Amino acid sequence: MFEAMLNVTGPAGTSDLFLIDWREGSGTKTTERASKSVFNVLGSGALIDDPAMGKCFNNTGGGAFQGDAVYNLINLSLPKWELSIEVTPTSVTNGGTLMSRAFLNSGTGGWYLSFAPSTNGLIEFYWVSGSGSWTRLASTQGLVVGVKAKVRLVRDNNVMSLYINDTFQASFAAPTFNNPSVVLAVGSFADTFSSRTFTGKIGVVRFFIP
């Protein structure tokens, strides 16, 4: 189980709009404090203490977390924001989805952050623009099995940039996001929890306005 909090202190001079910090719980369900939205564990795993990650969720199979359909605290249409997730993968050969608010099966839109089986752990951020076509922003550095990485997406008005462990990877002109009526998911796609799920440790997930 994890805690998702509103209006808490983030990095210096910021305010978090969304924060998962894994401080307590059983790993099966949690309720966000302010909106009372519920996240459910749909796969298998456990809440653990890790020397590198601290308190984290070790996802060992299946989908990770699915939020309520109305859960939309992560609004990528805002002009400035930072979205980050800490992960330690147990494998990169089969790919994995870190976060998503997207329809994989129907292809009707949204966004997702993942790495594909064919890219050796390279991070990919896909979204559907206002024109209805998928666009890809990809890293040049890949995730390493057993090594903690912090993946960050940063939007600064008209530019969206991707970082791994504070190292710049790539940038793109910030789009107009398609935000479908689908849940927010961590560790899997939002509309299917059996395809390209992430296996490994999931640490702090944060969305804030700098």
Side-chain angles (χ1 to χ4, degrees):
M1 185 172 80
F2 63 78
E3 295 184 5
M5 300 182 295
L6 286 174
N7 299 323
V8 295
T9 302
T14 70
S15 179
D16 283 310
L17 299 181
F18 180 85
L19 174 66
I20 299 170
D21 62 7
W22 311 97
R23 293 185 301 171
E24 60 183 53
S26 65
T28 58
K29 182 181 290 188
T30 192
T31 301
E32 189 273 318
R33 294 185 195 181
S35 71
K36 307 303 181 184
S37 296
V38 175
F39 274 68
N40 296 288
V41 179
L42 301 181
S44 58
L47 199 66
I48 64 170
D49 286 298
D50 180 77
M53 301 278 286
K55 186 73 74 174
C56 63
F57 186 80
N58 187 26
N59 190 44
T60 55
F65 297 93
Q66 175 193 29
D68 286 351
V70 297
Y71 202 76
N72 189 24
L73 297 178
I74 297 180
N75 180 7
L76 301 190
S77 297
L78 295 171
K80 290 190 177 186
W81 47 258
E82 179 171 323
L83 173 64
S84 64
I85 181 170
E86 296 177 354
V87 294
T88 301
T90 55
S91 172
V92 296
T93 57
N94 295 321
T97 304
L98 306 185
M99 297 184 69
S100 78
R101 189 164 180 248
F103 287 106
L104 173 64
N105 289 333
S106 63
T108 56
W111 58 266
Y112 63 94
L113 183 65
S114 69
F115 57 97
S118 59
T119 59
N120 296 318
L122 295 183
I123 296 295
E124 303 172 311
F125 180 66
Y126 280 92
W127 68 92
V128 169
S129 64
S131 64
S133 60
W134 286 97
T135 307
R136 173 178 176 263
L137 180 65
S139 69
T140 56
Q141 171 187 345
L143 298 181
V144 179
V145 172
V147 178
K148 173 186 174 182
K150 182 177 182 180
V151 180
R152 297 169 53 224
L153 277 167
V154 179
R155 178 171 184 169
D156 187 1
N157 292 313
N158 296 326
V159 178
M160 189 167 62
S161 302
L162 176 64
Y163 298 82
I164 298 180
N165 296 328
D166 296 324
T167 300
F168 174 79
Q169 301 294 310
S171 63
F172 199 88
T176 300
F177 281 98
N178 174 319
N179 290 309
S181 298
V182 65
V183 298
L184 172 67
V186 179
S188 66
F189 271 96
D191 67 336
T192 175
F193 300 95
S194 60
S195 176
R196 280 178 57 185
T197 56
F198 174 79
T199 55
K201 299 163 188 172
I202 304 172
V204 174
V205 184
R206 170 173 279 138
F207 179 71
F208 66 90
I209 308 302

